[in-house]
Amino acid sequence: MDYQAVLEQIVQDIAPQVGGGRPAEYIPVLASVDPSLFGMAIAEVDGTVHGIGDWQRPFSTQSITKVFTLALALAQGGDGLWARVGREPSGNPFNSLVQLEYENGIPRNPFINAGALVVTDQLLTLNGDASNELLGFLRQESGNPRLGFDAQVARSESEFGDRNAALAHFMASYGNIANPVPTLLEHYFRQCSIEMSCGDLALACRFLARHGLRADNTRLLTRSEAKQINAVMLTCGTYDAAGEFAYRVGLPGKSGVGGGIVAVVPGHCTLCVWSPGLDARGNSVAGVAALDRFTTLTGLSVF
Amino acid sequence: MDYQAVLEQIVQDIAPQVGGGRPAEYIPVLASVDPSLFGMAIAEVDGTVHGIGDWQRPFSTQSITKVFTLALALAQGGDGLWARVGREPSGNPFNSLVQLEYENGIPRNPFINAGALVVTDQLLTLNGDASNELLGFLRQESGNPRLGFDAQVARSESEFGDRNAALAHFMASYGNIANPVPTLLEHYFRQCSIEMSCGDLALACRFLARHGLRADNTRLLTRSEAKQINAVMLTCGTYDAAGEFAYRVGLPGKSGVGGGIVAVVPGHCTLCVWSPGLDARGNSVAGVAALDRFTTLTGLSVF
Amino acid sequence: MDYQAVLEQIVQDIAPQVGGGRPAEYIPVLASVDPSLFGMAIAEVDGTVHGIGDWQRPFSTQSITKVFTLALALAQGGDGLWARVGREPSGNPFNSLVQLEYENGIPRNPFINAGALVVTDQLLTLNGDASNELLGFLRQESGNPRLGFDAQVARSESEFGDRNAALAHFMASYGNIANPVPTLLEHYFRQCSIEMSCGDLALACRFLARHGLRADNTRLLTRSEAKQINAVMLTCGTYDAAGEFAYRVGLPGKSGVGGGIVAVVPGHCTLCVWSPGLDARGNSVAGVAALDRFTTLTGLSVF
Amino acid sequence: MDYQAVLEQIVQDIAPQVGGGRPAEYIPVLASVDPSLFGMAIAEVDGTVHGIGDWQRPFSTQSITKVFTLALALAQGGDGLWARVGREPSGNPFNSLVQLEYENGIPRNPFINAGALVVTDQLLTLNGDASNELLGFLRQESGNPRLGFDAQVARSESEFGDRNAALAHFMASYGNIANPVPTLLEHYFRQCSIEMSCGDLALACRFLARHGLRADNTRLLTRSEAKQINAVMLTCGTYDAAGEFAYRVGLPGKSGVGGGIVAVVPGHCTLCVWSPGLDARGNSVAGVAALDRFTTLTGLSVF
């Protein structure tokens, strides 16, 4: 398939939607990003990368990193994780406490904030570190050794982090957090602060299109585990708009409030699209539109 | 692929789970079914059918019919339906009223009872009938002209139907029901009462694996609409266990409390499995296990 | 105490608030009432009545009748009622289904709609009738034999009664309704349709200020039961504004969407105030203000 | 009235219930208290105190102190407090986060934990201190200069304080906490750790029976403010059992998980009863029974 031609067609088709929505406003660093930026990259399973627009420009990955911490926690600690976090769509905003109370401190899935805190807590327990473990993995998979934390973003997240602190303390009150809450939050905020480009991210999640194989062809996950993460992405990867995303795009995907979205066509390729303007549910407006166009133009939906 | 061999392997593998769980108990007709029954059928896109066990024995389709009414309502009335019913997983039991109140009478998706009532209401408005419209469609697609309503089941549903009556009146109070509630309920209960075998059902949902084409090769849905229904099945098709089902099975599927489950491998085949014992969330225990084995043995997951 | 002087002072003080708020709009008969009307009556325990403004003009009692059906159900059937309905404030709007689902079909208290339906159901079972039982009681206590149902209001309630039908069917699905839902609703809507004046109502609830004694000095309730109904009125009598009402007024009270409110000063007197304009929670704006002034001017709060 | 004789009668009547229920178990200090202890004291408005049983033995006041911090915050800061905390019963357990989320960080009332944290936050802002302000007040009103914090209890509360930390951070995320969360929690936990006897507490809340006058006859609250606090106690003072408490006892009251309950008969007297065994909702079993007997024996209910 001529992916470059597809990318060019997409850029034309979605031009009216670039700049739509509003960048995340809860921390200043995100709020000040130029909303007219747009980039998109496709990584084929063999490692060939195609890109368009601002595809090489780093942006704040935010919740997209939740995919990678989940993969690492499963690879290193195995299935036991699922006793502490569910696999069901939440039907509620990503930072809601309501469901957590009704369900006794067990988050619905690993992609809402509460669930991601549990995953990071698990990684901390397994490694004594979580954020550097993640960073090392992302550098290797993307082949980009310059990836790093954005200290200013991490500090901002922490300053405006009362909601996440509430989630962590709340789960701790149910015995579902093993490490001290401040340590956990520090690692969590650092993970969210990593900056990557569309190209970096498309490469980094290739293991999900390659049934568990890493860039160096060693195995991170079994075929079955890779499939399972894709399933969780499809049902839970885009906050409380997962149904809508599956309906429109029909691919496993994970979004972040930095405006990025990664998506997977198992066996074929991975995609990353970025544009800072978000819709009411926190997903990139132009990003969803671009992925929608991609599946329509190529027929490469999972359905 | 040698589907018959696959079916034989599945039957061997899941034998310990047949008889597990408990048949639905809310109406006598369902409660009295022999829980040791098990059948499974695969319909290839060309119409070839493979079956094993009790695959030709009719059972109560119940909520599985929600897939077909949705397809008919979209085919006949188009996208307008989505203004009255959402496409998000509910995260709540199939007959919950809670979310409906928070969201002003708009059901989360067409596969929870409230959403299916809206779909039936739409069909009623479009056709002046809903249950016979459905029956005609199912007869044609399955090639089985003997399909019919089970009057005893429909009457039982009605007798024990206070929860559904509550849902219908509640949505009516928000203006989201157009027809008289008793008429709507009558059609809804009749639809749920249709008896079909695994073979009938696998054939009847072939249009979802054939990108919208009916058995007679006329078009029911556009390619895009067929994909969309598959997406809704994957995210919402198995009550509040949709995430778990996607994780284990990885196929669009729809279950019913009669113990049946249909599933779709787009472009390849459709499946129907039946065994009356249900798990706590209302899905057939042996049925989910059999579909899990199917995707593991064949590698035919969408992920 | 010179109650007439108190009434005159109140009318002066609250003049700016008469006409504030909006009449109930869910049925036409209520929506068309002149919002500038205002009446207030005080009945001393000896039966002396004082009134001002439109205190002799009949209005739609609506939910105020819930006090009387509760008293009758307790007087005739005793404490068993409390196994079917709670005594806790609901913290939710009067017609909410959410709590009912979390609490398995047992309404929080007898003054939200769901709870009042259970009380009427109980009366129906005890008497074979509920609405005429209530009407007879009200005629006797008020000394007004002309009291009757307003057929037009009852019909309107029924036409727009989907929410109450939903509540009744929902409780029936939990086994908490003994009579057929349509019969129950008919009695419920008739009860709500009774028209009474402030004077009629102040007299009719005198048994609550007289520790259980009826107008003819026979005993309806024990001293303890009368106290208990007053307690339930204080904590639950004004929908989800009961805390605010206790804070401002400090008397057991019960409001209706017709704009009336009855209140009790145990051992001293009963009050009824009426003005059709409602606040956001369904309580008469001028009515609450008038009762607030009454307790401030007289010092006759229970606190 | 011969209060001493009343107390003796009560002790006889409720003997079977002393030792019922279970002491609070969330912190070790409370769990180890002898459940067979029982004390009760009555303070007349003139300062005469009557006591029985373990009425002079100090126990952990816990949530009872919420009454005093509320009174101080209103006395010192006025009505503005009500913009930050409501006055409605919550209908949920004392430490629930659900309602807080639906209502955007504004707690339902000042007696659930979230509301009390806001009150303490307000006191901190007004005084630069909250816990010592409270302690000084309690020493003066009770006439007991030896009252102090229990450092071990405060430390335990802090160690097991994740739920309260979650509440505080959660409200901070809505902008409803002005002071740093750790400082706020420290003051909050110290307040809860104060030890007092039934005699101390009955005296200390006499201002609520004396329409706002302190022990030294200076005015803490206006008559209207004192009435309002009594109203909030009646509707919200015993967690999600306020309706039941009003029904059985019919007095403004406030309970603590240390097993104490204070109650007010406006114009007459104040009461404090203590016994460590709690019911499922966190109220002293023998304590509620004793107050129930008191109102029955004396007729001194507000209703």
Side-chain angles (χ1 to χ4, degrees):
Chain A
M1 191 170 292
D2 184 349
Y3 285 119
Q4 200 62 43
V6 170
L7 288 174
E8 278 159 25
Q9 183 65 46
I10 290 172
V11 163
Q12 250 182 291
D13 294 350
I14 64 142
Q17 305 194 52
V18 175
R22 301 178 61 176
E25 294 183 335
Y26 74 103
I27 62 171
V29 192
L30 295 180
S32 63
V33 175
D34 176 357
S36 71
L37 297 172
F38 175 87
M40 186 166 184
I42 300 174
E44 298 187 57
V45 285
D46 67 4
T48 313
V49 181
H50 311 268
I52 203 159
D54 304 299
W55 71 284
Q56 291 170 304
R57 180 170 178 144
F59 61 89
S60 195
T61 53
Q62 297 291 323
S63 289
I64 295 176
T65 55
K66 292 175 169 60
V67 173
F68 303 105
T69 50
L70 173 61
L72 290 172
L74 286 175
Q76 297 177 7
D79 261 13
L81 179 67
W82 300 118
R84 299 178 56 194
V85 57
R87 287 174 298 216
E88 292 302 327
S90 85
N92 277 312
F94 62 95
N95 56 3
S96 170
L97 278 110
V98 169
Q99 224 160 28
L100 210 46
E101 179 162 344
Y102 286 128
E103 298 174 7
N104 300 311
I106 305 295
R108 271 290 170 101
N109 66 64
F111 293 155
I112 52 174
N113 288 12
L117 284 162
V118 167
V119 173
T120 295
D121 187 58
Q122 181 92 327
L123 265 189
L124 261 175
T125 300
L126 291 166
N127 290 298
D129 194 335
S131 47
N132 284 299
E133 188 72 16
L134 172 65
L135 185 62
F137 176 80
L138 292 174
R139 284 175 174 168
Q140 283 187 286
E141 297 308 299
S142 68
N144 182 349
R146 296 176 317 279
L147 297 184
F149 306 113
D150 182 321
Q152 191 190 351
V153 169
R155 204 166 42 246
S156 266
E157 301 271 6
S158 177
E159 273 165 26
F160 297 90
D162 274 307
R163 182 66 77 109
N164 284 311
L167 289 166
H169 280 293
F170 193 52
M171 292 189 290
S173 78
Y174 286 103
N176 199 17
I177 294 295
N179 294 280
V181 168
T183 309
L184 170 59
L185 290 173
E186 188 196 327
H187 280 270
Y188 181 78
F189 292 139
R190 290 180 83 198
Q191 287 167 355
C192 292
S193 81
I194 294 175
E195 292 218 319
M196 294 174 79
S197 68
C198 288
D200 294 332
L201 277 164
L203 283 169
C205 60
R206 240 175 357 128
F207 68 94
L208 289 170
R210 297 177 75 223
H211 306 303
L213 288 187
R214 295 184 59 159
D216 62 3
N217 288 316
T218 61
R219 184 162 288 285
L220 177 70
L221 304 169
T222 65
R223 188 183 184 93
S224 178
E225 289 168 337
K227 163 188 142 182
Q228 289 160 354
I229 293 182
N230 283 330
V232 179
M233 288 173 77
L234 192 92
T235 53
C236 316
T238 41
Y239 310 125
D240 50 339
E244 186 70 18
F245 188 82
Y247 179 88
R248 284 185 62 185
V249 175
L251 292 177
K254 181 74 204 81
S255 58
V257 292
I261 310 176
V262 296
V264 180
V265 188
H268 286 81
C269 64
T270 48
L271 303 106
C272 181
V273 60
W274 170 60
S275 191
L278 307 180
D279 62 25
R281 283 148 151 183
N283 298 309
S284 169
V285 170
V288 174
L291 293 169
D292 183 355
R293 285 309 295 152
F294 174 83
T295 53
T296 303
L297 290 171
T298 64
L300 282 174
S301 147
V302 301
F303 303 117
Chain B
M1 190 169 295
D2 183 348
Y3 285 119
Q4 199 62 42
V6 169
L7 288 174
E8 277 159 26
Q9 184 64 46
I10 290 171
V11 163
Q12 249 181 291
D13 294 350
I14 63 142
Q17 305 193 53
V18 174
R22 302 177 62 176
E25 295 183 335
Y26 73 104
I27 60 172
V29 192
L30 295 179
S32 63
V33 176
D34 177 356
S36 72
L37 297 172
F38 174 89
M40 186 165 182
I42 300 174
E44 298 188 56
V45 286
D46 68 3
T48 313
V49 180
H50 312 269
I52 202 158
D54 304 300
W55 72 284
Q56 290 168 304
R57 181 174 178 138
F59 60 90
S60 194
T61 54
Q62 298 289 322
S63 288
I64 295 176
T65 54
K66 293 173 168 59
V67 173
F68 304 105
T69 50
L70 173 62
L72 289 173
L74 285 176
Q76 297 175 7
D79 263 10
L81 179 67
W82 301 118
R84 298 179 56 193
V85 56
R87 289 175 295 218
E88 292 302 326
S90 85
N92 278 312
F94 63 95
N95 56 3
S96 171
L97 279 109
V98 169
Q99 224 160 28
L100 210 46
E101 178 162 344
Y102 286 129
E103 299 174 5
N104 300 314
I106 305 295
R108 270 291 170 100
N109 66 64
F111 292 156
I112 52 175
N113 288 12
L117 285 162
V118 166
V119 173
T120 296
D121 186 59
Q122 181 91 330
L123 265 189
L124 262 176
T125 300
L126 291 165
N127 290 300
D129 194 333
S131 46
N132 284 301
E133 186 72 15
L134 170 66
L135 185 62
F137 176 79
L138 291 174
R139 284 176 175 170
Q140 283 187 283
E141 297 306 301
S142 67
N144 183 348
R146 296 178 316 280
L147 298 184
F149 305 112
D150 182 320
Q152 191 190 354
V153 169
R155 201 165 46 243
S156 267
E157 300 272 7
S158 178
E159 271 164 28
F160 297 91
D162 274 308
R163 182 66 77 107
N164 285 311
L167 289 166
H169 280 293
F170 193 50
M171 292 189 291
S173 78
Y174 286 105
N176 198 17
I177 294 296
N179 294 281
V181 169
T183 309
L184 169 60
L185 290 173
E186 188 196 329
H187 280 269
Y188 180 78
F189 292 139
R190 291 179 82 198
Q191 287 168 354
C192 292
S193 80
I194 295 173
E195 291 219 320
M196 295 173 79
S197 69
C198 288
D200 295 332
L201 276 164
L203 283 169
C205 61
R206 246 183 344 136
F207 67 94
L208 290 171
R210 298 177 78 224
H211 307 302
L213 289 187
R214 295 182 61 159
D216 63 2
N217 289 316
T218 60
R219 185 161 286 284
L220 177 68
L221 304 169
T222 66
R223 188 181 185 95
S224 178
E225 288 167 340
K227 162 187 143 182
Q228 290 160 355
I229 292 182
N230 283 330
V232 179
M233 287 173 77
L234 192 93
T235 52
C236 315
T238 43
Y239 309 126
D240 50 340
E244 187 69 20
F245 189 82
Y247 178 89
R248 283 185 66 187
V249 174
L251 292 178
K254 181 74 205 80
S255 57
V257 294
I261 311 178
V262 296
V264 180
V265 189
H268 286 83
C269 63
T270 48
L271 302 106
C272 180
V273 60
W274 170 59
S275 192
L278 307 181
D279 62 24
R281 283 149 150 180
N283 298 309
S284 168
V285 170
V288 174
L291 292 170
D292 184 355
R293 287 308 295 152
F294 174 83
T295 54
T296 304
L297 291 170
T298 63
L300 282 175
S301 148
V302 301
F303 304 118
Chain C
M1 188 169 293
D2 183 348
Y3 285 118
Q4 200 62 46
V6 169
L7 287 175
E8 279 159 23
Q9 184 64 46
I10 290 172
V11 164
Q12 248 183 292
D13 293 349
I14 63 142
Q17 304 194 51
V18 174
R22 300 177 62 174
E25 295 184 334
Y26 75 102
I27 59 172
V29 192
L30 295 180
S32 63
V33 176
D34 176 357
S36 71
L37 296 172
F38 175 88
M40 187 167 183
I42 300 174
E44 298 188 58
V45 286
D46 67 3
T48 314
V49 181
H50 312 268
I52 202 160
D54 304 300
W55 72 283
Q56 291 170 306
R57 180 175 180 137
F59 61 88
S60 192
T61 53
Q62 298 290 325
S63 288
I64 295 176
T65 55
K66 293 174 167 60
V67 173
F68 303 105
T69 51
L70 173 62
L72 289 173
L74 286 175
Q76 296 176 8
D79 262 10
L81 179 67
W82 300 118
R84 297 178 56 193
V85 57
R87 288 174 297 218
E88 293 301 327
S90 84
N92 278 312
F94 61 95
N95 57 2
S96 170
L97 279 110
V98 169
Q99 225 160 26
L100 209 46
E101 179 162 345
Y102 285 129
E103 297 173 6
N104 300 312
I106 306 294
R108 270 291 170 97
N109 66 64
F111 293 155
I112 52 174
N113 287 12
L117 284 162
V118 167
V119 173
T120 295
D121 186 59
Q122 181 92 330
L123 265 188
L124 261 175
T125 301
L126 290 166
N127 288 299
D129 194 333
S131 46
N132 285 300
E133 187 70 17
L134 171 66
L135 184 62
F137 176 80
L138 292 174
R139 284 176 174 166
Q140 282 187 284
E141 296 308 300
S142 67
N144 182 349
R146 295 177 316 280
L147 298 184
F149 305 113
D150 182 320
Q152 190 190 355
V153 169
R155 202 167 43 243
S156 267
E157 301 271 7
S158 180
E159 272 164 27
F160 297 91
D162 275 308
R163 182 66 77 109
N164 284 311
L167 289 166
H169 280 293
F170 193 50
M171 292 188 292
S173 77
Y174 286 104
N176 200 17
I177 294 296
N179 294 280
V181 168
T183 310
L184 170 59
L185 290 173
E186 187 196 328
H187 280 269
Y188 180 78
F189 292 139
R190 289 180 83 196
Q191 288 167 353
C192 290
S193 80
I194 294 174
E195 291 219 321
M196 295 174 77
S197 69
C198 288
D200 294 331
L201 276 164
L203 283 168
C205 61
R206 243 179 349 133
F207 67 94
L208 290 171
R210 298 176 77 224
H211 307 301
L213 288 187
R214 294 182 61 159
D216 63 3
N217 288 317
T218 61
R219 185 162 287 285
L220 176 70
L221 303 169
T222 66
R223 186 182 186 94
S224 180
E225 288 169 338
K227 162 187 142 182
Q228 289 160 355
I229 292 182
N230 284 329
V232 180
M233 288 172 77
L234 192 91
T235 53
C236 316
T238 42
Y239 311 124
D240 51 338
E244 187 70 20
F245 189 82
Y247 179 89
R248 282 185 65 185
V249 175
L251 293 177
K254 181 75 203 83
S255 57
V257 292
I261 310 175
V262 297
V264 179
V265 188
H268 286 82
C269 63
T270 48
L271 302 105
C272 181
V273 60
W274 171 60
S275 191
L278 307 181
D279 61 25
R281 281 147 151 183
N283 298 307
S284 168
V285 170
V288 174
L291 292 170
D292 183 357
R293 286 308 297 154
F294 174 83
T295 55
T296 303
L297 291 171
T298 62
L300 281 175
S301 150
V302 300
F303 302 116
Chain D
M1 190 169 293
D2 184 348
Y3 285 119
Q4 201 63 44
V6 169
L7 288 174
E8 278 159 24
Q9 184 65 48
I10 290 172
V11 163
Q12 249 182 289
D13 294 348
I14 65 143
Q17 305 194 53
V18 174
R22 302 178 63 175
E25 293 185 333
Y26 74 103
I27 61 173
V29 193
L30 294 179
S32 63
V33 175
D34 177 358
S36 72
L37 297 171
F38 176 87
M40 187 166 181
I42 300 173
E44 299 188 55
V45 285
D46 67 4
T48 313
V49 180
H50 312 269
I52 201 158
D54 305 300
W55 70 284
Q56 290 169 305
R57 180 171 179 141
F59 61 89
S60 195
T61 52
Q62 297 291 323
S63 288
I64 296 176
T65 55
K66 291 175 170 59
V67 173
F68 304 105
T69 51
L70 173 61
L72 289 173
L74 286 176
Q76 296 176 8
D79 262 10
L81 179 66
W82 299 118
R84 297 180 56 194
V85 57
R87 288 173 298 217
E88 292 302 327
S90 85
N92 278 311
F94 62 95
N95 58 3
S96 170
L97 278 110
V98 169
Q99 224 160 27
L100 210 46
E101 179 162 342
Y102 286 129
E103 298 173 7
N104 300 314
I106 305 294
R108 269 292 168 99
N109 66 64
F111 293 155
I112 52 173
N113 287 13
L117 284 162
V118 166
V119 173
T120 296
D121 186 60
Q122 180 93 330
L123 264 188
L124 261 176
T125 300
L126 291 166
N127 288 299
D129 195 335
S131 47
N132 284 298
E133 187 71 15
L134 170 66
L135 186 62
F137 176 80
L138 292 173
R139 284 176 173 167
Q140 282 187 285
E141 297 308 299
S142 68
N144 182 350
R146 297 178 316 282
L147 298 183
F149 305 112
D150 183 319
Q152 192 190 351
V153 169
R155 204 165 43 243
S156 267
E157 301 271 8
S158 178
E159 272 164 26
F160 298 91
D162 274 308
R163 182 66 76 110
N164 285 311
L167 289 167
H169 279 293
F170 193 51
M171 291 189 290
S173 78
Y174 285 105
N176 199 17
I177 293 296
N179 295 280
V181 168
T183 310
L184 170 60
L185 290 173
E186 189 196 326
H187 280 270
Y188 180 78
F189 292 139
R190 291 180 82 197
Q191 288 167 355
C192 291
S193 81
I194 295 173
E195 291 219 319
M196 295 174 76
S197 69
C198 288
D200 296 332
L201 276 165
L203 284 168
C205 60
R206 246 183 342 135
F207 67 93
L208 290 171
R210 300 176 76 225
H211 307 303
L213 288 188
R214 295 183 59 159
D216 63 3
N217 289 318
T218 61
R219 184 161 286 285
L220 177 70
L221 303 169
T222 65
R223 188 184 184 94
S224 177
E225 288 168 338
K227 162 188 143 183
Q228 289 159 356
I229 292 182
N230 283 331
V232 179
M233 288 173 76
L234 192 93
T235 52
C236 315
T238 42
Y239 310 125
D240 49 340
E244 186 70 19
F245 189 84
Y247 179 88
R248 283 186 62 186
V249 176
L251 292 177
K254 181 76 204 80
S255 58
V257 292
I261 310 176
V262 297
V264 180
V265 189
H268 285 83
C269 63
T270 48
L271 302 105
C272 182
V273 61
W274 171 60
S275 191
L278 307 181
D279 61 24
R281 281 149 151 184
N283 299 308
S284 170
V285 170
V288 174
L291 292 170
D292 183 356
R293 288 307 298 153
F294 173 85
T295 54
T296 303
L297 290 170
T298 63
L300 281 174
S301 145
V302 302
F303 302 117

